[in-house]
Amino acid sequence: MSHGIAWTGAHSTTDRSAALPGMLGGISLTCARGLDADEFLVALGADLDELAARTPCKDITVPTRRPGDQSPHVHRAMYGTCGDWVYVLEDWGMATWSTGCRKVVSMRSGPDEEIVCVTMNRWSPPQMIVHAPGDGRVLRAEFGEDTGEASALDAALHAAGAVFPAIGDVGEAAVVAYYEEHGPRLPEAVFTAVGNYCGLSIDQAAVQVGHLPALLIPMV
């Protein structure tokens, strides 16, 4: 399970370790296609000089924020490309794009620019799938649901077993029982579906040891 991206969901409840040179637990994923990779990273808040340096994640240090310091909080964001997609991995509890796409103009997708995001929302549950299909809309679905658009992404979620029964269909008791039995596998199913839809393969070992390039970007 070192390739694909199912491993990301499998480690969704693994504690994040500040001592880890790369990332493993609680990773949120944002991937985009139809736009320049560097432009997308800049829209997320990347510094141009840092972007040009392509510094491996293992060599990135997040500065300690002193009390009373007015500078923005920053965190590591590891990135790479796979096929037509640029992807961003973050383990601070949220996905920057999902928190900023509605209020930061530069983060909004343009025509024919597609963005898919899986955010763990540690600070603001529930965990979400966010999809900007390139037509000006931003669609959201909690883990266990689809976006309601009967899209190819929705089909991938169903195929991976990432869409759970709804109360309106089977009743509350049956839904509770289903979540108790199958809930632990839900993050892995969601990441499997998104990986299949986007055709993403991200090497777990490279991410864990911090070989991929990374940036410091501000929390929105």
Side-chain angles (χ1 to χ4, degrees):
M1 202 166 60
S2 64
H3 296 281
I5 62 169
W7 62 268
T8 312
H11 288 282
S12 63
T13 59
T14 301
D15 288 339
R16 176 183 178 272
S17 173
L20 195 69
M23 301 178 186
L24 181 62
I27 292 174
S28 295
L29 165 76
T30 306
C31 48
R33 67 176 171 182
L35 67 169
D36 180 78
D38 284 2
E39 288 182 2
F40 181 65
L41 294 166
V42 169
L44 292 179
D47 177 83
L48 287 172
D49 291 337
E50 287 186 353
L51 184 57
R54 308 292 186 199
T55 304
C57 184
K58 63 183 178 64
D59 297 326
I60 291 282
T61 301
V62 179
T64 302
R65 192 170 187 267
R66 299 176 181 177
D69 189 350
Q70 296 303 309
S71 63
H73 288 282
V74 295
H75 62 274
R76 298 183 305 174
M78 198 181 306
Y79 63 93
T81 58
C82 183
D84 295 334
W85 298 86
V86 53
Y87 60 83
V88 180
L89 307 174
E90 303 171 74
D91 66 349
W92 62 282
M94 312 281 284
T96 295
W97 181 79
S98 72
T99 65
C101 63
R102 287 182 171 174
K103 55 187 177 182
V104 180
V105 174
S106 64
M107 291 189 191
R108 297 173 188 168
S109 61
D112 301 320
E113 297 175 352
E114 183 177 10
I115 301 173
V116 181
C117 179
V118 182
T119 178
M120 302 311 293
N121 285 356
R122 183 187 307 160
W123 316 119
S124 181
Q127 299 164 333
M128 299 286 292
I129 305 156
V130 189
H131 185 206
D135 58 6
R137 297 180 299 161
V138 177
L139 310 170
R140 296 175 183 267
E142 296 182 17
F143 277 25
E145 301 176 347
D146 63 24
T147 68
E149 294 295 310
S151 63
L153 175 58
D154 285 347
L157 290 167
H158 282 274
V163 180
F164 282 11
I167 291 176
D169 296 329
V170 299
E172 183 176 357
V175 169
V176 170
Y178 194 91
Y179 269 83
E180 288 179 348
E181 180 179 358
H182 300 286
R185 69 170 179 83
L186 182 54
E188 184 175 347
V190 168
F191 277 94
T192 296
V194 171
N196 290 342
Y197 172 74
C198 299
L200 285 183
S201 182
I202 305 174
D203 188 89
Q204 177 183 342
V207 172
Q208 189 168 346
V209 300
H211 280 174
L212 298 183
L215 299 154
L216 293 177
I217 58 177
M219 299 180 188
V220 178

